[in-house]
Amino acid sequence: MSLQNLAAERAVLSGFCQYGLDAYIDVESIVDISCFTDKTNQHLFRCIQHVLKDGSEVDVSSILSSASSLGCYELVSGDEEIEYLDALFNFPIELSNVETNAKAIKKLSIAKHIQKVVKGIHTNLSNISGEESFTQIINIAESPIMELDSLLSDSDSNNPVLLGSGVEEYVEHVMESPSDIVGIPSGFPRFDAYIGGGLRRGCIDFVAARAKMGKSMLTDNIALHVANMDIPVLVVDTEMGESDHFCRILSNMSGVPSKEIANGKFSYDQSKTEKVFQAKEDFKQMPYHYIGVAGKSFEEILSIIRRWVEKTVGLDDEGVRNDCLVIYDYLKLMSGSDLGANSPEWLVLGNQIMQLHALCVKQDFACLSFGQLNRDGITREDAGVVSGSDRIVWNCSSFTIFKDKSADEVAEDGPNGGNRKLLPIVSRHGPGMENGNYINMSLSGHIGRVQELSTRDELIQSKNIGTQGFQVELPSEDSEEEGGFSLS
């Protein structure tokens, strides 16, 4: 099969020649030079496109003038080419048929591209050594195919739509499914409120912390809360192993110190043994999924996430993605090959989160990602304290710092203030937190638990009125513009 339709190519060019901009506007987002297989047609398309973009009238002289400017005059000015060009202005074509022919040659162009991709896959698979992992081998075929899927999706959605045409369906949906929270609850109500209603689909909420500050413990606490709601969770772990999580999770659920679980001495106490065994049975029933990805490339990791979302989570009866949460712990360079010869770390990390965000949007799932604070994060508390900060913040719905409290803060907040703090610095959907305020957190490492306490402002107001039980009202989603910072 030749995968060409010269008659359709001629019809499209004739439409441009006879109807000018009216025909070109209809198909500008559909056709490009790769849709034309005949060399003369390719050159004429370039010339006619150049004429139309200059705002000139399409005729033989303007096309030849354009050819001269583009350096292809000799290729379109021969006797045969001039005769063919004259024929284009007389070819019987209706304006309404130009788009039909444009779509026909576009489909053939896509088919040719797919052939090329498949050949590339065949070549790359022929060159494997056997030292590769199963995931790497699958990724050789899967990544190009998924890119093709994106190409096809983009080709079907090139034209703007009237946004109001879908608003009625949206209103009916939210009326039928009223909820106090828009996204998936993290288990920390104040955090959810300040970032705009939980962990939302198609979004990345980013939390940055210094090393050994409890990121992975926070990961397990959030994952357990979500999985306990029977919502599938995937923890993508770049550092720890399964046994580390087993110990922390069982300790969290049972209240038995993790040290006793790790060394097996809980078995000396019947009460503790019963608690651990009950936690074990409860945990087995939770949709808590885990994969360690140390040593894998970022492209492999994206493939793993995509397969989990498509195969494990799936779609509901109406073709909508079921609720799920991906937790990426944590964003970093996965191997030396991730860092190109001329690519600084901040650029690579920025590109990684851009790809992760694109996957979230395409597959319609919520993502919570963690990252490493740089040394400035010890004293500063703004969005510039994480590697690749600008690019990361651009692609995140919220940016939060999780850090140890200073001695002064511990003393000022008192015994009910905890030992950690969460600072939602910026948020696209919520109010964020005003400078100087933060959410008090209590991290109990011996049992793997992280607890949300009151905010600093709540503590201050409580002390001012002398009422320990006083709590200020949490920000509502209507308070997006009231204080704090927001992402534009």
Side-chain angles (χ1 to χ4, degrees):
M1 184 177 178
S2 62
L3 292 180
Q4 65 175 186
N5 187 335
L6 295 178
E9 292 180 25
R10 177 174 181 170
V12 171
L13 293 176
S14 293
F16 294 165
C17 290
Q18 295 178 41
Y19 300 103
L21 202 57
D22 289 339
Y24 180 72
I25 288 175
D26 285 343
V27 301
E28 181 182 10
S29 61
I30 300 174
V31 297
D32 54 36
I33 196 168
S34 67
C35 295
F36 297 88
T37 58
D38 180 80
K39 290 294 184 182
T40 299
N41 287 342
Q42 290 177 354
H43 295 309
L44 289 176
F45 172 76
R46 287 181 62 214
C47 295
I48 294 171
Q49 185 182 48
H50 187 262
V51 171
L52 290 170
K53 287 188 174 181
D54 275 351
S56 303
E57 188 77 19
V58 180
D59 53 34
V60 174
S61 61
S62 64
I63 292 174
L64 293 177
S65 175
S66 176
S68 180
S69 300
L70 296 173
C72 60
Y73 180 81
E74 294 181 358
L75 300 174
V76 298
S77 59
D79 291 341
E80 289 185 13
E81 287 77 17
I82 293 296
E83 183 179 349
Y84 176 62
L85 187 54
D86 286 334
L88 291 178
F89 285 90
N90 297 301
F91 185 81
I93 178 74
E94 298 292 334
L95 178 61
S96 58
N97 291 331
V98 176
E99 184 176 0
T100 301
N101 285 280
K103 288 180 177 179
I105 62 175
K106 179 64 174 182
K107 291 173 185 176
L108 293 172
S109 175
I110 291 174
K112 286 186 294 181
H113 182 66
I114 293 173
Q115 278 188 336
K116 184 178 180 180
V117 168
V118 171
K119 288 179 181 178
I121 292 172
H122 182 273
T123 299
N124 291 334
L125 287 174
S126 299
N127 292 329
I128 67 171
S129 64
E131 299 296 324
E132 298 82 358
S133 67
F134 288 115
T135 303
Q136 286 175 317
I137 294 172
I138 292 171
N139 190 56
I140 290 174
E142 187 179 58
S143 290
I145 294 299
M146 294 308 297
E147 289 175 6
L148 283 176
D149 182 55
S150 298
L151 173 66
L152 294 174
S153 298
D154 291 343
S155 66
D156 289 335
S157 58
N158 281 326
N159 295 317
V161 298
L162 186 63
L163 188 58
S165 63
V167 71
E168 184 172 351
E169 182 178 345
Y170 170 78
V171 171
E172 290 177 357
H173 170 71
V174 296
M175 289 178 63
E176 291 172 0
S177 308
S179 175
D180 292 332
I181 187 167
V182 177
I184 296 173
S186 68
F188 303 127
R190 288 170 177 79
F191 172 65
D192 291 339
Y194 281 106
I195 66 172
L199 309 169
R200 300 191 183 209
R201 291 167 174 258
C203 297
I204 297 178
D205 291 285
F206 194 89
V207 178
R210 291 287 291 170
K212 313 301 181 184
M213 195 53 56
K215 292 193 302 294
S216 296
M217 202 171 294
L218 187 61
T219 291
D220 280 330
N221 276 256
I222 294 174
L224 278 173
H225 176 79
V226 175
N228 196 43
M229 298 169 62
D230 204 30
I231 296 175
V233 178
L234 173 63
V235 173
V236 180
D237 192 342
T238 64
E239 290 192 319
M240 293 171 55
E242 289 184 14
S243 60
D244 297 312
H245 286 278
F246 286 153
C247 183
R248 287 182 176 178
I249 289 170
L250 292 174
S251 178
N252 178 295
M253 296 178 68
S254 67
V256 176
S258 57
K259 183 178 180 180
E260 294 183 34
I261 293 177
N263 60 27
K265 291 185 177 180
F266 71 91
S267 60
Y268 299 164
D269 185 311
Q270 182 62 29
S271 174
K272 291 180 179 179
T273 300
E274 291 176 359
K275 290 178 180 178
V276 171
F277 270 63
Q278 185 60 56
K280 170 178 68 85
E281 293 303 314
D282 291 342
F283 184 57
K284 285 164 60 177
Q285 305 304 315
M286 292 184 183
Y288 185 123
H289 302 257
Y290 169 88
I291 185 166
V293 294
K296 297 184 184 297
S297 70
F298 189 71
E299 288 69 26
E300 286 181 88
I301 295 171
L302 291 182
S303 293
I304 290 168
I305 296 172
R306 181 170 53 238
R307 283 199 299 273
W308 179 79
V309 171
E310 291 182 345
K311 296 180 180 180
T312 302
V313 178
L315 307 173
D316 64 17
D317 293 338
E318 297 182 356
V320 177
R321 178 71 59 206
N322 290 313
D323 280 337
C324 68
L325 174 66
V326 173
I327 302 181
Y328 194 116
D329 182 21
Y330 62 98
L331 191 73
K332 64 177 182 179
L333 297 180
M334 295 305 299
S335 66
S337 61
D338 285 341
L339 192 60
N342 299 310
S343 300
E345 180 180 0
W346 62 267
L347 180 59
V348 176
L349 293 177
N351 288 337
Q352 284 184 355
I353 200 161
M354 182 173 64
Q355 294 177 63
L356 182 59
H357 177 254
L359 184 63
C360 288
V361 173
K362 181 172 179 57
Q363 295 291 343
D364 194 27
F365 64 87
C367 181
L368 175 65
S369 179
F370 289 82
Q372 194 92 330
L373 285 175
N374 57 35
R375 291 193 61 82
D376 288 339
I378 298 174
T379 54
R380 286 173 51 194
E381 295 178 351
D382 56 55
V385 294
V386 64
S387 298
S389 57
D390 285 346
R391 288 173 177 264
I392 287 175
V393 172
W394 293 341
N395 288 280
C396 291
S397 291
S398 68
F399 178 87
T400 299
I401 292 176
F402 180 58
K403 65 186 301 186
D404 202 2
K405 293 176 67 173
S406 68
D408 288 342
E409 289 170 335
V410 171
E412 181 180 348
D413 293 338
N416 297 321
N419 55 4
R420 298 288 192 278
K421 60 182 180 179
L422 269 179
L423 295 84
I425 303 296
V426 290
S427 176
R428 179 171 287 115
H429 301 114
M433 295 199 85
E434 293 183 352
N435 189 30
N437 194 15
Y438 49 76
I439 303 170
N440 288 291
M441 307 291 288
S442 174
L443 186 145
S444 303
H446 67 293
I447 55 172
R449 289 181 185 171
V450 181
Q451 180 184 2
E452 183 186 81
L453 305 174
S454 57
T455 67
R456 180 175 181 272
D457 283 356
E458 287 177 49
L459 281 177
I460 292 173
Q461 293 188 44
S462 174
K463 293 175 182 177
N464 288 341
I465 67 172
T467 306
Q468 283 290 0
F470 177 81
Q471 288 188 345
V472 298
E473 184 178 352
L474 293 180
S476 68
E477 292 174 28
D478 297 329
S479 62
E480 183 172 352
E481 301 301 328
E482 297 175 9
F485 300 88
S486 62
L487 292 173
S488 58

